[in-house]
Amino acid sequence: MFFDTWHGLLRVVVVGPLAYLALVLFLRISGKRTLTKLNAFDLVVTVALGSTLSSIVLTKSVALLEGVLALGTLIGLQFLITWSSVRSPRVKAEPTLLAHDGRLVEGAMRRQRMTRDDVLAALRSEGLDDLSQAAAVVLETDGSISVLKALSGRGYGLDGVSQPGADQPRS
């Protein structure tokens, strides 16, 4: 069947754009952080927002105002978590040092479930063919891997990056 009733089609045509407009408005109000690279929490919120928008548009039992309130609640919770992460070190995720001065940090790699091949792939994507060419390899909070190329006579600041601590770098 192509459709149940003309009323259902009219509801999608009217409620869909209004719900979408509400979502875009909420995202604009909530700031750039909502639309940046996704960490795990942001991904969950994004999927939840998409699911909620879909329910608003396609489910007759979900009123527009209820759906808009649900969107606002999800974005409000996301704002609260990001606000808390800026102010509390317990909530804040930190980048992790995977390699330093050409040597892998095995303990950190195990904790982050990263393999040597993952690190080598990141090196290749930066045009490096050997671990010794990297001053540092860092797993960022969004899951991306940053490679700081080794340059003679030049240090790199690793402020905010989880250091090996008791784990000694190993090759």
Side-chain angles (χ1 to χ4, degrees):
M1 180 168 297
F2 293 111
F3 64 94
D4 290 328
T5 65
W6 286 104
H7 181 267
L9 293 178
L10 180 62
R11 182 183 187 288
V12 170
V13 169
V14 172
V15 170
L18 291 173
Y20 178 76
L21 182 64
L23 178 58
V24 169
L25 182 65
F26 281 142
L27 290 174
R28 297 290 276 171
I29 290 170
S30 66
K32 294 178 184 177
R33 171 68 173 87
T34 307
L35 302 174
T36 59
K37 286 185 177 179
L38 301 180
N39 61 31
F41 179 75
D42 296 330
L43 177 64
V44 169
V45 170
T46 302
V47 170
L49 288 172
S51 177
T52 303
L53 181 62
S54 173
S55 293
I56 295 167
V57 173
L58 298 176
T59 306
K60 294 175 185 176
S61 63
V62 177
L64 177 61
L65 191 54
E66 291 170 342
V68 168
L69 183 60
L71 292 172
T73 300
L74 289 171
I75 291 173
L77 290 171
Q78 196 265 356
F79 177 82
L80 182 65
I81 293 295
T82 56
W83 181 85
S84 298
S85 72
V86 170
R87 287 157 181 78
S88 172
R90 291 189 336 213
V91 178
K92 186 177 183 179
E94 290 184 348
T96 302
L97 188 64
L98 300 176
H100 188 255
D101 290 333
R103 294 180 289 176
L104 296 173
V105 182
E106 299 287 345
M109 289 176 57
R110 265 192 307 279
R111 280 190 303 280
Q112 299 300 325
R113 296 177 310 281
M114 300 292 295
T115 65
R116 178 181 176 84
D117 290 338
D118 295 330
V119 173
L120 295 177
L123 291 175
R124 288 190 300 274
S125 72
E126 293 295 321
L128 304 179
D129 58 2
D130 187 62
L131 194 55
S132 66
Q133 296 173 314
V137 179
V138 178
L139 177 63
E140 302 294 352
T141 59
D142 65 359
S144 64
I145 299 176
S146 297
V147 177
L148 301 174
K149 297 177 182 176
L151 299 174
S152 60
R154 191 175 203 191
Y156 288 93
L158 294 174
D159 292 342
V161 177
S162 295
Q163 298 293 319
D167 298 328
Q168 294 302 314
R170 296 188 184 112
S171 49

